[in-house]
């Protein structure tokens, strides 16, 4: 028996169930989302090298203008001063910004787009919070020698190998141009190196993007695995979100008891109690000055009906037996509601009978 209980506890604690929407939402709020950093890196890298092709002409003119201004304008200055240094710094910075700013903007937009395509718009400061558990050396060693670390190592080796192979192949296919660089002019050398650099960068980006797609599927598998919940976790989450069923039942029971007490307090003020006679009891109250029609102040069946009749008897409330009327009103009229038009005639006859009895008394 003890072994059976232990087995049940083990299986209840085993994380075999898919994460609930609430668990996913909570993880997202903490910054734990499905993401492959390699996809963002590949998109940024590819975008930058493609942007270099587009802005190559203007960038070349900007670089040449920068060097001309640097070597022709400031190299002939006789003496330096603080104002001149600040002026030179501002001009050099503005020239460099003209060249680099478009590339930097492309890189930033590509980085944001790479993350947005993976997990949408998300802003959270949760990962920035100080957590002492991150400083735990034992957990740190476990992370270093974990399966995930081994996979990351293999992935890095694969990236270096494939990217190295692709760039080497490009250099080998252009070996004649590389070997002839020493015989070319500086400008032709710069053009050749630029073309080869961009070509290798684009090829490396495509290889990295291919690896990143594979990494994305692995990250998805690992993400879903870490989000898995046990049956007990799902039960606990339901209790926390919906409330403990035992507590909810007690609250409902208390509400019913309070409603019952309020209803029974209205019975002594009723004008008549219409009975079945044993199974149903309907207490009616009517005031000509304040009410357009009689109102049901209490109703019940079986035990509650007997209690209504007992309170009515103790407070000299007239009871009238009318089986069809009692049953029909119990089904169609709620407590606190005025009776519908279809019951006016039958109820009027009952009230007239009650008023005659009260006048005789």
């Amino acid at each position: 028996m003890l072994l059976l209980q232990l087995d049940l506890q083990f299986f209840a604690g085993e994380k075999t169930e898919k994460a609930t929407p609430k668990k996913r939402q909570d993880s997202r709020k903490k910054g734990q989302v499905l993401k492959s950093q390699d996809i963002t890196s590949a998109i940024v890298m590819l975008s930058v090298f493609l942007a270099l092709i587009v802005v190559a002409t203007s960038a070349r003119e900007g670089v040449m203008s920068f060097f001309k201004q640097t070597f022709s304008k400031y190299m002939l200055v006789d003496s330096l001063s603080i104002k001149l240094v600040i002026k030179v710094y501002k001009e050099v910075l503005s020239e460099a910004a003209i060249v680099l700013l478009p590339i930097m903007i492309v890189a930033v937009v590509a980085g944001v787009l790479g993350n947005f395509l993976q997990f949408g718009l998300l802003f959270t400061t949760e990962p920035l919070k100080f957590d002492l558990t991150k400083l735990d050396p034992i957990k740190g060693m476990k992370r270093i020698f974990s399966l995930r670390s081994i996979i990351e190592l293999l992935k890095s080796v694969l990236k270096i190998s494939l990217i190295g192979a692709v760039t080497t192949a490009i250099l080998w296919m252009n070996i004649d141009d590389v070997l002839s660089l020493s015989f070319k002019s500086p400008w032709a050398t710069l053009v050749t190196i630029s073309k080869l650099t961009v070509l290798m960068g684009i090829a490396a980006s495509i290889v990295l993007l291919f690896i990143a797609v594979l990494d994305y599927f692995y990250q998805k598998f690992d993400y879903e695995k870490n989000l898995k919940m046990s049956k007990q976790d799902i039960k606990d989450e339901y209790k926390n979100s919906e409330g403990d069923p035992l507590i909810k039942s007690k609250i409902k029971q208390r509400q019913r008891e309070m409603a019952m007490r309020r209803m029974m307090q209205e019975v002594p003020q009723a004008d008549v109690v219409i009975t079945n006679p044993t199974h149903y009891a309907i207490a009616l109250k009517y005031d000509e000055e304040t009410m357009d029609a009689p109102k049901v102040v209490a109703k019940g069946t079986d035990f509650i009906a007997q209690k209504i009749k007992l309170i009515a008897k103790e407070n000299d409330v007239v009871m009238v037996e009318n089986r069809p009327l009692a049953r029909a009103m119990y089904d169609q009229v709620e407590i606190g509601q005025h009776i519908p038009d279809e019951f006016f005639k039958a109820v009027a006859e009952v009230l007239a009978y009650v008023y005659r009895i009260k006048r005789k008394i």
Side-chain angles (χ1 to χ4, degrees):
M1 187 67 181
L2 179 60
L3 290 175
L4 179 60
Q5 290 178 350
L6 291 174
D7 288 340
L8 290 175
Q9 290 176 359
F10 173 77
F11 287 114
E14 190 177 359
K15 297 183 182 298
T16 57
E17 307 301 315
K18 288 186 176 181
T20 60
K22 184 179 184 304
K23 177 68 179 292
R24 295 179 183 276
Q25 186 178 3
D26 292 342
S27 298
R28 183 179 175 83
K29 289 179 181 178
K30 295 177 182 178
Q32 299 171 358
V33 292
L34 172 59
K35 181 181 73 171
S36 171
Q37 193 61 46
D38 288 339
I39 285 184
T40 304
S41 302
I43 291 176
V44 171
M45 189 173 173
L46 184 61
S47 301
V48 167
F49 280 105
L50 290 176
L52 283 173
I53 296 176
V54 175
V55 301
T57 303
S58 60
R60 180 189 63 190
E61 294 175 355
V63 171
M64 294 304 297
S65 173
F66 173 75
F67 282 114
K68 285 179 181 178
Q69 186 174 3
T70 302
F71 290 106
S72 63
K73 186 175 181 180
Y74 302 119
M75 294 297 291
L76 302 177
V77 177
D78 295 331
S79 60
L80 291 175
S81 63
I82 296 177
K83 290 184 179 179
L84 182 60
V85 171
I86 294 175
K87 181 181 178 183
V88 171
Y89 176 75
K90 288 182 179 178
E91 290 182 1
V92 169
L93 194 63
S94 61
E95 290 290 336
I98 293 173
V99 177
L100 298 177
L101 196 59
I103 306 299
M104 295 176 66
I105 292 175
V106 170
V108 171
V109 172
V112 173
L113 182 63
N115 287 315
F116 180 79
L117 291 175
Q118 293 185 78
F119 54 84
L121 186 63
L122 175 64
F123 178 79
T124 177
T125 59
E126 194 71 26
L128 301 178
K129 290 183 178 179
F130 182 73
D131 188 2
L132 287 174
T133 58
K134 294 180 180 179
L135 303 177
D136 188 348
I138 298 176
K139 291 185 178 179
M141 293 297 292
K142 288 182 178 179
R143 285 194 295 267
I144 292 174
F145 296 101
S146 63
L147 177 62
R148 184 179 182 87
S149 299
I150 296 174
I151 293 176
E152 291 295 329
L153 175 62
L154 294 176
K155 188 175 65 176
S156 299
V157 172
L158 180 64
K159 284 191 289 187
I160 294 172
S161 302
L162 291 179
I163 292 174
V166 169
T167 53
T168 302
I170 292 174
L171 288 174
W172 185 259
M173 287 186 293
N174 296 273
I175 190 66
D176 294 335
D177 293 333
V178 174
L179 294 176
S180 63
L181 287 177
S182 59
F183 303 102
K184 293 183 179 180
S185 64
W187 180 254
T189 300
L190 183 62
V191 170
T192 302
I193 292 175
S194 300
K195 288 181 179 179
L196 289 175
T197 301
V198 172
L199 184 60
M200 287 187 293
I202 292 176
S205 301
I206 294 174
V207 172
L208 184 60
L209 188 61
F210 171 73
I211 297 173
V213 172
L214 299 179
D215 179 63
Y216 179 82
F217 288 108
Y218 165 72
Q219 296 294 342
K220 183 177 181 181
F221 166 77
D222 189 62
Y223 177 75
E224 294 293 338
K225 179 183 176 183
N226 291 330
L227 277 185
K228 279 187 175 181
M229 305 170 67
S230 64
K231 291 182 171 61
Q232 186 62 41
D233 291 337
I234 295 176
K235 290 179 181 178
D236 293 340
E237 181 186 281
Y238 176 78
K239 287 181 180 179
N240 293 331
S241 60
E242 301 294 333
D244 193 331
L246 182 60
I247 296 176
K248 289 176 66 176
S249 64
K250 288 183 178 179
I251 292 174
K252 289 182 179 180
Q253 181 181 358
R254 184 65 59 85
Q255 290 174 344
R256 287 194 296 267
E257 291 174 355
M258 292 174 64
M260 182 69 66
R261 283 197 295 269
R262 287 195 299 268
M263 184 181 72
M264 293 304 175
Q265 290 172 359
E266 295 291 333
V267 175
Q269 282 76 42
D271 292 314
V272 64
V273 173
I274 303 175
T275 65
N276 191 22
T278 55
H279 297 293
Y280 291 86
I282 311 292
L284 298 178
K285 181 177 178 61
Y286 179 61
D287 188 344
E288 295 180 358
E289 297 179 357
T290 60
M291 298 181 184
D292 296 329
K295 181 173 68 172
V296 175
V297 296
K299 71 174 186 176
T301 61
D302 299 328
F303 173 76
I304 298 176
Q306 298 300 324
K307 193 169 183 179
I308 291 173
K309 290 192 290 183
L310 178 62
I311 296 175
K313 185 176 181 180
E314 292 175 350
N315 292 272
D316 297 326
V317 178
V318 179
M319 289 182 283
V320 177
E321 180 183 339
N322 189 324
R323 296 174 181 237
L325 181 60
R327 179 63 183 268
M329 290 182 63
Y330 180 85
D331 292 336
Q332 300 183 37
V333 188
E334 297 299 327
I335 298 171
Q337 290 184 350
H338 295 281
I339 63 172
D341 297 346
E342 59 195 84
F343 297 121
F344 276 3
K345 183 178 180 181
V347 172
E349 293 176 356
V350 171
L351 289 176
Y353 169 73
V354 171
Y355 294 151
R356 286 197 301 270
I357 292 176
K358 289 183 176 181
R359 279 197 294 270
K360 290 179 181 179
I361 297 173

mmCIF file with all atom_site columns, all heavy atoms in Angstrom, residues 88-100:
data_model
loop_
_atom_site.group_PDB
_atom_site.id
_atom_site.type_symbol
_atom_site.label_atom_id
_atom_site.label_alt_id
_atom_site.label_comp_id
_atom_site.label_asym_id
_atom_site.label_entity_id
_atom_site.label_seq_id
_atom_site.pdbx_PDB_ins_code
_atom_site.Cartn_x
_atom_site.Cartn_y
_atom_site.Cartn_z
_atom_site.occupancy
_atom_site.B_iso_or_equiv
_atom_site.pdbx_formal_charge
_atom_site.auth_seq_id
_atom_site.auth_comp_id
_atom_site.auth_asym_id
_atom_site.auth_atom_id
_atom_site.pdbx_PDB_model_num
ATOM 1   N N   . VAL A 1 88  ? 37.709 69.773 -34.080 1.00 0.00 ? 88  VAL A N   1
ATOM 2   C CA  . VAL A 1 88  ? 38.138 68.619 -34.888 1.00 0.00 ? 88  VAL A CA  1
ATOM 3   C C   . VAL A 1 88  ? 37.355 67.373 -34.486 1.00 0.00 ? 88  VAL A C   1
ATOM 4   O O   . VAL A 1 88  ? 36.898 66.603 -35.349 1.00 0.00 ? 88  VAL A O   1
ATOM 5   C CB  . VAL A 1 88  ? 39.657 68.395 -34.716 1.00 0.00 ? 88  VAL A CB  1
ATOM 6   C CG1 . VAL A 1 88  ? 40.068 67.068 -35.366 1.00 0.00 ? 88  VAL A CG1 1
ATOM 7   C CG2 . VAL A 1 88  ? 40.443 69.545 -35.325 1.00 0.00 ? 88  VAL A CG2 1
ATOM 8   N N   . TYR A 1 89  ? 37.196 67.173 -33.198 1.00 0.00 ? 89  TYR A N   1
ATOM 9   C CA  . TYR A 1 89  ? 36.457 65.999 -32.699 1.00 0.00 ? 89  TYR A CA  1
ATOM 10  C C   . TYR A 1 89  ? 35.023 65.988 -33.218 1.00 0.00 ? 89  TYR A C   1
ATOM 11  O O   . TYR A 1 89  ? 34.522 64.956 -33.674 1.00 0.00 ? 89  TYR A O   1
ATOM 12  C CB  . TYR A 1 89  ? 36.478 65.997 -31.173 1.00 0.00 ? 89  TYR A CB  1
ATOM 13  C CG  . TYR A 1 89  ? 35.681 64.887 -30.549 1.00 0.00 ? 89  TYR A CG  1
ATOM 14  C CD1 . TYR A 1 89  ? 36.158 63.579 -30.552 1.00 0.00 ? 89  TYR A CD1 1
ATOM 15  C CD2 . TYR A 1 89  ? 34.434 65.133 -29.995 1.00 0.00 ? 89  TYR A CD2 1
ATOM 16  C CE1 . TYR A 1 89  ? 35.435 62.553 -30.000 1.00 0.00 ? 89  TYR A CE1 1
ATOM 17  C CE2 . TYR A 1 89  ? 33.680 64.112 -29.438 1.00 0.00 ? 89  TYR A CE2 1
ATOM 18  C CZ  . TYR A 1 89  ? 34.193 62.820 -29.437 1.00 0.00 ? 89  TYR A CZ  1
ATOM 19  O OH  . TYR A 1 89  ? 33.453 61.813 -28.900 1.00 0.00 ? 89  TYR A OH  1
ATOM 20  N N   . LYS A 1 90  ? 34.352 67.142 -33.183 1.00 0.00 ? 90  LYS A N   1
ATOM 21  C CA  . LYS A 1 90  ? 32.962 67.228 -33.650 1.00 0.00 ? 90  LYS A CA  1
ATOM 22  C C   . LYS A 1 90  ? 32.863 66.957 -35.143 1.00 0.00 ? 90  LYS A C   1
ATOM 23  O O   . LYS A 1 90  ? 31.972 66.239 -35.602 1.00 0.00 ? 90  LYS A O   1
ATOM 24  C CB  . LYS A 1 90  ? 32.390 68.601 -33.327 1.00 0.00 ? 90  LYS A CB  1
ATOM 25  C CG  . LYS A 1 90  ? 32.107 68.831 -31.848 1.00 0.00 ? 90  LYS A CG  1
ATOM 26  C CD  . LYS A 1 90  ? 31.487 70.199 -31.612 1.00 0.00 ? 90  LYS A CD  1
ATOM 27  C CE  . LYS A 1 90  ? 31.173 70.420 -30.143 1.00 0.00 ? 90  LYS A CE  1
ATOM 28  N NZ  . LYS A 1 90  ? 30.599 71.780 -29.895 1.00 0.00 ? 90  LYS A NZ  1
ATOM 29  N N   . GLU A 1 91  ? 33.798 67.530 -35.917 1.00 0.00 ? 91  GLU A N   1
ATOM 30  C CA  . GLU A 1 91  ? 33.751 67.327 -37.358 1.00 0.00 ? 91  GLU A CA  1
ATOM 31  C C   . GLU A 1 91  ? 34.053 65.873 -37.727 1.00 0.00 ? 91  GLU A C   1
ATOM 32  O O   . GLU A 1 91  ? 33.405 65.292 -38.605 1.00 0.00 ? 91  GLU A O   1
ATOM 33  C CB  . GLU A 1 91  ? 34.737 68.274 -38.032 1.00 0.00 ? 91  GLU A CB  1
ATOM 34  C CG  . GLU A 1 91  ? 34.307 69.746 -37.958 1.00 0.00 ? 91  GLU A CG  1
ATOM 35  C CD  . GLU A 1 91  ? 35.274 70.656 -38.683 1.00 0.00 ? 91  GLU A CD  1
ATOM 36  O OE1 . GLU A 1 91  ? 36.259 70.136 -39.253 1.00 0.00 ? 91  GLU A OE1 1
ATOM 37  O OE2 . GLU A 1 91  ? 35.037 71.885 -38.686 1.00 0.00 ? 91  GLU A OE2 1
ATOM 38  N N   . VAL A 1 92  ? 35.043 65.296 -37.078 1.00 0.00 ? 92  VAL A N   1
ATOM 39  C CA  . VAL A 1 92  ? 35.373 63.880 -37.340 1.00 0.00 ? 92  VAL A CA  1
ATOM 40  C C   . VAL A 1 92  ? 34.210 62.980 -36.951 1.00 0.00 ? 92  VAL A C   1
ATOM 41  O O   . VAL A 1 92  ? 33.857 62.027 -37.667 1.00 0.00 ? 92  VAL A O   1
ATOM 42  C CB  . VAL A 1 92  ? 36.652 63.488 -36.567 1.00 0.00 ? 92  VAL A CB  1
ATOM 43  C CG1 . VAL A 1 92  ? 36.853 61.974 -36.601 1.00 0.00 ? 92  VAL A CG1 1
ATOM 44  C CG2 . VAL A 1 92  ? 37.866 64.186 -37.153 1.00 0.00 ? 92  VAL A CG2 1
ATOM 45  N N   . LEU A 1 93  ? 33.584 63.281 -35.822 1.00 0.00 ? 93  LEU A N   1
ATOM 46  C CA  . LEU A 1 93  ? 32.450 62.476 -35.361 1.00 0.00 ? 93  LEU A CA  1
ATOM 47  C C   . LEU A 1 93  ? 31.276 62.581 -36.328 1.00 0.00 ? 93  LEU A C   1
ATOM 48  O O   . LEU A 1 93  ? 30.614 61.576 -36.630 1.00 0.00 ? 93  LEU A O   1
ATOM 49  C CB  . LEU A 1 93  ? 32.022 62.943 -33.960 1.00 0.00 ? 93  LEU A CB  1
ATOM 50  C CG  . LEU A 1 93  ? 31.072 62.019 -33.195 1.00 0.00 ? 93  LEU A CG  1
ATOM 51  C CD1 . LEU A 1 93  ? 31.737 60.684 -32.914 1.00 0.00 ? 93  LEU A CD1 1
ATOM 52  C CD2 . LEU A 1 93  ? 30.630 62.679 -31.876 1.00 0.00 ? 93  LEU A CD2 1
ATOM 53  N N   . SER A 1 94  ? 31.014 63.769 -36.840 1.00 0.00 ? 94  SER A N   1
ATOM 54  C CA  . SER A 1 94  ? 29.896 63.942 -37.783 1.00 0.00 ? 94  SER A CA  1
ATOM 55  C C   . SER A 1 94  ? 30.177 63.220 -39.095 1.00 0.00 ? 94  SER A C   1
ATOM 56  O O   . SER A 1 94  ? 29.289 62.605 -39.696 1.00 0.00 ? 94  SER A O   1
ATOM 57  C CB  . SER A 1 94  ? 29.647 65.429 -38.029 1.00 0.00 ? 94  SER A CB  1
ATOM 58  O OG  . SER A 1 94  ? 30.791 66.041 -38.601 1.00 0.00 ? 94  SER A OG  1
ATOM 59  N N   . GLU A 1 95  ? 31.440 63.288 -39.566 1.00 0.00 ? 95  GLU A N   1
ATOM 60  C CA  . GLU A 1 95  ? 31.795 62.582 -40.798 1.00 0.00 ? 95  GLU A CA  1
ATOM 61  C C   . GLU A 1 95  ? 31.672 61.067 -40.614 1.00 0.00 ? 95  GLU A C   1
ATOM 62  O O   . GLU A 1 95  ? 31.172 60.354 -41.492 1.00 0.00 ? 95  GLU A O   1
ATOM 63  C CB  . GLU A 1 95  ? 33.226 62.943 -41.211 1.00 0.00 ? 95  GLU A CB  1
ATOM 64  C CG  . GLU A 1 95  ? 33.399 64.369 -41.714 1.00 0.00 ? 95  GLU A CG  1
ATOM 65  C CD  . GLU A 1 95  ? 32.742 64.588 -43.062 1.00 0.00 ? 95  GLU A CD  1
ATOM 66  O OE1 . GLU A 1 95  ? 32.558 63.602 -43.799 1.00 0.00 ? 95  GLU A OE1 1
ATOM 67  O OE2 . GLU A 1 95  ? 32.396 65.737 -43.371 1.00 0.00 ? 95  GLU A OE2 1
ATOM 68  N N   . ALA A 1 96  ? 32.129 60.574 -39.472 1.00 0.00 ? 96  ALA A N   1
ATOM 69  C CA  . ALA A 1 96  ? 32.027 59.135 -39.206 1.00 0.00 ? 96  ALA A CA  1
ATOM 70  C C   . ALA A 1 96  ? 30.570 58.707 -39.077 1.00 0.00 ? 96  ALA A C   1
ATOM 71  O O   . ALA A 1 96  ? 30.191 57.609 -39.505 1.00 0.00 ? 96  ALA A O   1
ATOM 72  C CB  . ALA A 1 96  ? 32.796 58.796 -37.932 1.00 0.00 ? 96  ALA A CB  1
ATOM 73  N N   . ALA A 1 97  ? 29.735 59.571 -38.486 1.00 0.00 ? 97  ALA A N   1
ATOM 74  C CA  . ALA A 1 97  ? 28.317 59.241 -38.323 1.00 0.00 ? 97  ALA A CA  1
ATOM 75  C C   . ALA A 1 97  ? 27.613 59.138 -39.667 1.00 0.00 ? 97  ALA A C   1
ATOM 76  O O   . ALA A 1 97  ? 26.746 58.269 -39.865 1.00 0.00 ? 97  ALA A O   1
ATOM 77  C CB  . ALA A 1 97  ? 27.639 60.304 -37.459 1.00 0.00 ? 97  ALA A CB  1
ATOM 78  N N   . ILE A 1 98  ? 28.001 60.002 -40.622 1.00 0.00 ? 98  ILE A N   1
ATOM 79  C CA  . ILE A 1 98  ? 27.384 59.954 -41.951 1.00 0.00 ? 98  ILE A CA  1
ATOM 80  C C   . ILE A 1 98  ? 27.657 58.603 -42.617 1.00 0.00 ? 98  ILE A C   1
ATOM 81  O O   . ILE A 1 98  ? 26.802 58.036 -43.316 1.00 0.00 ? 98  ILE A O   1
ATOM 82  C CB  . ILE A 1 98  ? 27.918 61.112 -42.821 1.00 0.00 ? 98  ILE A CB  1
ATOM 83  C CG1 . ILE A 1 98  ? 27.426 62.457 -42.255 1.00 0.00 ? 98  ILE A CG1 1
ATOM 84  C CG2 . ILE A 1 98  ? 27.479 60.946 -44.270 1.00 0.00 ? 98  ILE A CG2 1
ATOM 85  C CD1 . ILE A 1 98  ? 28.031 63.650 -42.942 1.00 0.00 ? 98  ILE A CD1 1
ATOM 86  N N   . VAL A 1 99  ? 28.858 58.069 -42.375 1.00 0.00 ? 99  VAL A N   1
ATOM 87  C CA  . VAL A 1 99  ? 29.225 56.792 -42.980 1.00 0.00 ? 99  VAL A CA  1
ATOM 88  C C   . VAL A 1 99  ? 28.597 55.618 -42.237 1.00 0.00 ? 99  VAL A C   1
ATOM 89  O O   . VAL A 1 99  ? 28.055 54.679 -42.833 1.00 0.00 ? 99  VAL A O   1
ATOM 90  C CB  . VAL A 1 99  ? 30.763 56.646 -43.018 1.00 0.00 ? 99  VAL A CB  1
ATOM 91  C CG1 . VAL A 1 99  ? 31.157 55.277 -43.573 1.00 0.00 ? 99  VAL A CG1 1
ATOM 92  C CG2 . VAL A 1 99  ? 31.384 57.763 -43.851 1.00 0.00 ? 99  VAL A CG2 1
ATOM 93  N N   . LEU A 1 100 ? 28.658 55.654 -40.893 1.00 0.00 ? 100 LEU A N   1
ATOM 94  C CA  . LEU A 1 100 ? 28.277 54.487 -40.093 1.00 0.00 ? 100 LEU A CA  1
ATOM 95  C C   . LEU A 1 100 ? 26.801 54.454 -39.697 1.00 0.00 ? 100 LEU A C   1
ATOM 96  O O   . LEU A 1 100 ? 26.264 53.370 -39.444 1.00 0.00 ? 100 LEU A O   1
ATOM 97  C CB  . LEU A 1 100 ? 29.132 54.435 -38.816 1.00 0.00 ? 100 LEU A CB  1
ATOM 98  C CG  . LEU A 1 100 ? 30.638 54.281 -39.030 1.00 0.00 ? 100 LEU A CG  1
ATOM 99  C CD1 . LEU A 1 100 ? 31.369 54.328 -37.692 1.00 0.00 ? 100 LEU A CD1 1
ATOM 100 C CD2 . LEU A 1 100 ? 30.949 52.970 -39.745 1.00 0.00 ? 100 LEU A CD2 1
#
